[in-house]
Amino acid sequence: MSEKMWGGRFAAGTDALVEQFTSSIAVDRRLYAEDIRGSTAHARMLGRVGVLTAAEVEAICTGLETIGAEIAAGNFTFTDSLEDIHMHIESRLITLIGDTGKKLHTGRSRNDQVATDMRLYTRGAIDRLLALLHDLQSVFVDLAEREADTILPGLTHLQVAQPVTFGHHSMAYVEMFRRDAERLRDARKRVNVLPLGAAALAGTTFPIDRWDVARELGFDHVAENSLDAVSDRDFLLETLAALSIIAVHLSRLAEELIYWMSAALAFIELPDAFCTGSSIMPQKKNPDVAELIRGKSGKVMGQLTALLILMKGQALAYNRDNQEDKSIFFTALDEVEASLQLLARMLPGLQTRPARMRAEAEKGFATATDLADYLVRKGVPFRDAHAVVGRAVRLAQNRGIGLEALPLAELRALSSTIGEDVFRVLTLEGSVAARNHLGGTAPEQVRAAIARARTRLQAEVE
């Protein structure tokens, strides 16, 4: 006869290869704290509604606490034959307290149990991610403050477009990660719904109090439909979507760090502790952390695709396919958490090379738009001004000089509206300072944005 907890109707034991194939304990063992927490709340509720006696509840809760301590201490044996973390904990509980342990599963199924565990775990993961995003935003705010006046060539199409500052550029990532945090907070609302009480798919005949469990576990809502409660993985899809967008932002940042550190640009120097060398070329210093963050971002996005495909063909309600959701989610989560932690440790040691940045900004006629704006303020229609500046760029390019080096007489030959004051708008500092509006590049606007970000980040802590 089968010795499985579900084996009553089976006449033979499970094939050893099937046990290995269906076991999820190698993955879902990390849910042990959530499983114990949910089981404890379930047992206490069963006691309050009269399904269990006070003595039974006490024995179960004490046993669960002991199991949690054993797992945390590494003194717990895991085996494929017990399939998952739920069966491991229940089996150990029965060993510790006898038949009373068999009563814990009254009024629930592994279907609503695992859904509860995953929601608890995902909620905790979101809270950790929010803290990591907060830390990384703070790092960028500090970097922006340090480099608020450092000229950097702003690019479009990877071509020099207009001058900005490294501080302004750093604040762009503060905005990106701020949106990431907002997405996670919004997703958390839909994560924080209790499925326990749905049982296998149709609820239970016992007089359970689902709101009692919800309050103890900190859930804001109780799932309204039992079929949906056990089969819904939208909360994981939504969180994975947020993780994927974070991964996109991390990859874009990594690409810029790699690009800026290249010998061709040499805009920045990354700390030695976050770079590696070559086994054959002794001079090499490679931005491997940034490269791996860029590479791992693809893995994160792939997990979102994997879960979408996993869910797309499932009829209601629970299906065993859903066992795979945990490895998918944990993989993406681990990569994003590690990347955020590494960047928050690496970036404070980033050193800029202002002279190299400035030299590159001076190569690409970065103040051309400022010259066009100057002409417009003098009454020249923008399209005409655009054409005038285009001719001035061609003239300077043919001579291998910048716009600011063109003689006033030659500029006036292109447009009689140009006066001696034109050279004020052709400097990199003048160009940056001219965009003195909300969201602009002027150092005072960058510092105002820094102040607002610091206030918001402090409020999040409080």
Side-chain angles (χ1 to χ4, degrees):
M1 295 292 292
S2 171
E3 295 181 357
K4 301 290 185 184
M5 292 185 181
W6 43 260
R9 62 94 67 218
F10 289 81
T14 308
D15 184 279
L17 187 58
V18 172
E19 283 195 344
Q20 293 176 11
F21 186 72
T22 59
S23 173
S24 63
I25 190 59
V27 174
D28 64 27
R29 61 200 295 174
R30 74 161 75 183
L31 295 173
Y32 81 90
E34 288 73 21
D35 197 72
I36 288 172
R37 187 178 173 192
S39 292
T40 300
H42 180 68
R44 287 174 177 161
M45 179 274 293
L46 291 177
R48 282 189 281 267
V49 300
V51 173
L52 297 178
T53 67
E56 289 170 334
V57 172
E58 178 64 24
I60 288 171
C61 292
T62 300
L64 290 171
E65 184 177 355
T66 298
I67 295 168
E70 289 176 347
I71 297 175
N75 299 324
F76 194 93
T77 301
F78 294 98
T79 172
D80 285 340
S81 64
L82 287 174
E83 300 179 9
D84 55 36
I85 191 62
H86 325 296
M87 291 294 96
H88 275 80
I89 290 174
E90 185 174 336
S91 176
R92 178 60 177 151
L93 183 65
I94 294 168
T95 299
L96 286 174
I97 68 172
D99 285 351
T100 297
K102 298 178 181 179
K103 297 185 177 184
L104 172 60
H105 210 54
T106 304
R108 73 173 183 181
S109 162
R110 277 190 294 178
N111 295 357
D112 61 343
Q113 184 179 359
V114 69
T116 302
D117 289 359
M118 281 303 291
R119 285 180 180 271
L120 285 170
Y121 188 89
T122 304
R123 187 178 71 189
I126 287 174
D127 291 342
R128 293 196 305 274
L129 288 165
L130 289 171
L132 291 172
L133 286 167
H134 181 279
D135 291 346
L136 189 54
Q137 287 178 79
S138 296
V139 167
F140 271 108
V141 168
D142 290 342
L143 192 58
E145 191 162 49
R146 192 183 83 193
E147 307 289 346
D149 297 294
T150 303
I151 296 294
L152 174 74
L155 309 179
T156 59
H157 309 279
L158 283 182
Q159 305 296 311
V160 174
Q162 291 180 278
V164 295
T165 67
F166 199 85
H168 187 67
H169 196 104
S170 297
M171 290 303 292
Y173 283 102
V174 175
E175 293 302 305
M176 286 189 195
F177 296 127
R178 177 184 183 179
R179 292 193 298 273
D180 291 329
E182 289 173 349
R183 271 184 284 271
L184 285 171
R185 289 191 192 96
D186 193 55
R188 193 185 190 280
K189 299 173 186 175
R190 286 170 288 284
V191 170
N192 210 28
V193 178
L194 176 72
L196 201 63
L201 78 163
T204 176
T205 59
F206 291 94
I208 61 172
D209 185 344
R210 298 181 68 207
W211 276 107
D212 178 83
V213 177
R215 283 188 292 270
E216 180 162 344
L217 294 177
F219 284 100
D220 294 329
H221 303 284
V222 169
E224 292 281 348
N225 183 279
S226 60
L227 288 163
D228 181 60
V230 296
S231 60
D232 169 41
R233 294 298 183 271
D234 289 1
F235 69 97
L236 285 181
L237 285 168
E238 192 170 359
T239 306
L240 274 171
L243 287 173
S244 296
I245 297 173
I246 293 172
V248 169
H249 292 160
L250 294 174
S251 184
R252 295 180 71 183
L253 170 60
E255 172 64 16
E256 291 207 305
L257 295 173
I258 296 162
Y259 179 58
W260 288 339
M261 191 174 162
S262 66
L265 290 182
F267 283 178
I268 63 167
E269 186 75 18
L270 292 175
D272 285 357
F274 296 88
C275 297
T276 64
S278 165
S279 62
I280 187 173
M281 295 171 286
Q283 85 282 9
K284 293 297 295 297
K285 179 179 177 179
N286 300 323
D288 283 17
V289 168
E291 290 174 358
L292 283 169
I293 289 172
R294 183 179 61 184
K296 288 173 181 293
S297 66
K299 188 191 297 187
V300 176
M301 297 170 215
Q303 301 310 308
L304 172 59
T305 302
L307 188 58
L308 284 167
I309 293 171
L310 181 76
M311 296 304 301
K312 76 175 185 63
Q314 290 193 38
L316 294 175
Y318 181 84
N319 297 277
R320 190 65 179 269
D321 313 44
N322 289 352
Q323 175 176 300
E324 298 301 306
D325 64 352
K326 286 167 280 298
S327 62
I328 289 170
F329 181 69
F330 295 159
T331 296
L333 176 65
D334 291 348
E335 299 294 9
V336 171
E337 282 190 318
S339 297
L340 291 170
Q341 289 169 344
L342 281 164
L343 284 167
R345 293 178 66 174
M346 178 174 71
L347 290 174
L350 179 151
Q351 296 299 314
T352 59
R353 292 176 171 170
R356 284 289 307 132
M357 294 179 184
R358 184 182 188 89
E360 200 66 23
E362 289 173 344
K363 288 181 181 178
F365 307 103
T367 59
T369 303
D370 297 276
L371 178 55
D373 290 345
Y374 167 88
L375 291 169
V376 170
R377 286 194 295 272
K378 296 280 189 176
V380 178
F382 179 78
R383 283 299 164 206
D384 294 340
H386 190 287
V388 169
V389 176
R391 290 192 290 272
V393 167
R394 186 167 67 246
L395 183 61
Q397 190 173 39
N398 289 338
R399 295 187 184 177
I401 59 176
L403 288 173
E404 73 285 353
L406 286 172
L408 177 60
E410 294 188 19
L411 287 171
R412 287 184 59 81
L414 296 172
S415 175
S416 60
T417 60
I418 296 177
E420 293 184 0
D421 59 342
V422 70
F423 295 104
R424 289 202 302 270
V425 306
L426 293 179
T427 66
L428 296 175
E429 284 79 9
S431 174
V432 166
R435 291 182 286 279
N436 189 17
H437 52 74
L438 185 65
T441 62
E444 57 265 36
Q445 286 297 336
V446 174
R447 291 189 172 91
I450 289 169
R452 289 191 296 272
R454 287 198 189 283
T455 299
R456 173 178 55 79
L457 290 168
Q458 182 59 39
E460 290 174 3
V461 171
E462 295 170 354

